[in-house]
Amino acid sequence: MKLIDIADVMIGVLTKRENNKNGENSYSLFSLKNYEEEIGFEEFKTNKNLDSKVTKKGDLLFRLLHPNKIIYVDEKLDGTLIPSQFCIIRPNKKQINPIVLKWYLESNNATNELNSKVTGSIIKSMSVANLKTLNIPYIPIEKQEDMKNLILLWEREKEIYKEILEEKGKLYNSYLEKMIIEGK
């Protein structure tokens, strides 16, 4: 089946066209930089109602420019306005679990197919029309629950490993600094 069969896929808003500093509607505007640096999103004002371009928990954000990036919308991203460099993938939760879909979109199989749909030689990008035609394997919803649990377990383990490495780095650096001080 195709992505469009199991999810609504819609491009974000072209902010330059819709921006109006005196607008009556106000939104928190998503930006990848603010998301990755965990700082607040800027306020975006417009006269138009752009609620259809606002995220809901369980959505996926897909960066259309290469390299593609897929972000799961959790409580922190719920209600943010999405710019046109991204599209919102809103899975039909009766057919596909959003966490399983995110995992699949990041898998080698999906990445290879996505790479074949990329256009442009200097600035590589993915059109929403091409993204909608991505093949998604059918997985029974009961099996998806087991897959989701395994994915979440692996994500938590990666977080724990990262924390351990950071702490070990601090420990080894303190040993090395102490050795330098004692050597003088």
Side-chain angles (χ1 to χ4, degrees), residues 13-132:
V13 66
L14 189 59
T15 55
K16 289 183 181 174
R17 185 183 305 160
E18 305 302 339
N19 193 13
N20 182 339
K21 292 187 181 5
N22 299 319
E24 56 192 44
N25 296 317
S26 179
Y27 298 94
S28 292
L29 182 63
F30 175 84
S31 88
L32 189 57
K33 181 178 189 259
N34 291 26
Y35 169 74
E36 290 177 340
E37 294 178 8
E38 297 183 5
I39 54 179
F41 300 115
E42 72 178 73
E43 183 181 31
F44 179 83
K45 290 197 164 247
T46 182
N47 283 325
K48 287 194 175 178
N49 180 337
L50 300 174
D51 290 350
S52 65
K53 307 290 184 176
V54 170
T55 59
K56 294 180 182 176
K57 186 177 180 210
D59 287 350
L60 301 177
L61 301 181
F62 185 92
R63 183 173 179 227
L64 295 167
L65 298 175
H66 192 76
N68 302 118
K69 185 166 188 79
I70 301 146
I71 299 168
Y72 177 79
V73 175
D74 58 11
E75 295 82 15
K76 292 182 272 184
L77 290 179
D78 188 23
T80 54
L81 182 67
I82 302 304
S84 60
Q85 301 90 345
F86 286 84
C87 72
I88 299 171
I89 300 173
R90 188 159 291 149
N92 177 337
K93 293 178 181 148
K94 292 180 181 176
Q95 292 181 292
I96 188 92
N97 183 293
I99 292 170
V100 173
L101 180 57
K102 179 184 184 296
W103 170 83
Y104 181 75
L105 292 173
E106 294 173 333
S107 72
N108 288 337
N109 288 341
T111 301
N112 290 337
E113 186 177 349
L114 287 168
N115 286 339
S116 73
K117 296 177 182 287
V118 169
T119 58
S121 56
I122 296 173
I123 300 176
K124 296 181 180 187
S125 65
M126 170 75 59
S127 73
V128 174
N130 281 344
L131 180 60
K132 288 178 178 182

Side-chain angles (χ1 to χ4, degrees), residues 150-181:
L150 189 59
I151 292 164
L152 293 175
L153 176 63
W154 174 233
E155 293 297 320
R156 182 65 189 129
E157 285 182 16
K158 287 191 288 189
E159 289 174 22
I160 291 169
Y161 292 147
K162 183 179 175 185
E163 291 169 7
I164 290 170
L165 285 174
E166 287 173 4
E167 290 300 315
K168 282 205 167 217
K170 291 176 188 175
L171 179 66
Y172 285 117
N173 282 332
S174 71
Y175 288 152
L176 292 167
E177 289 171 8
K178 185 178 177 185
M179 292 169 86
I180 289 172
I181 292 170

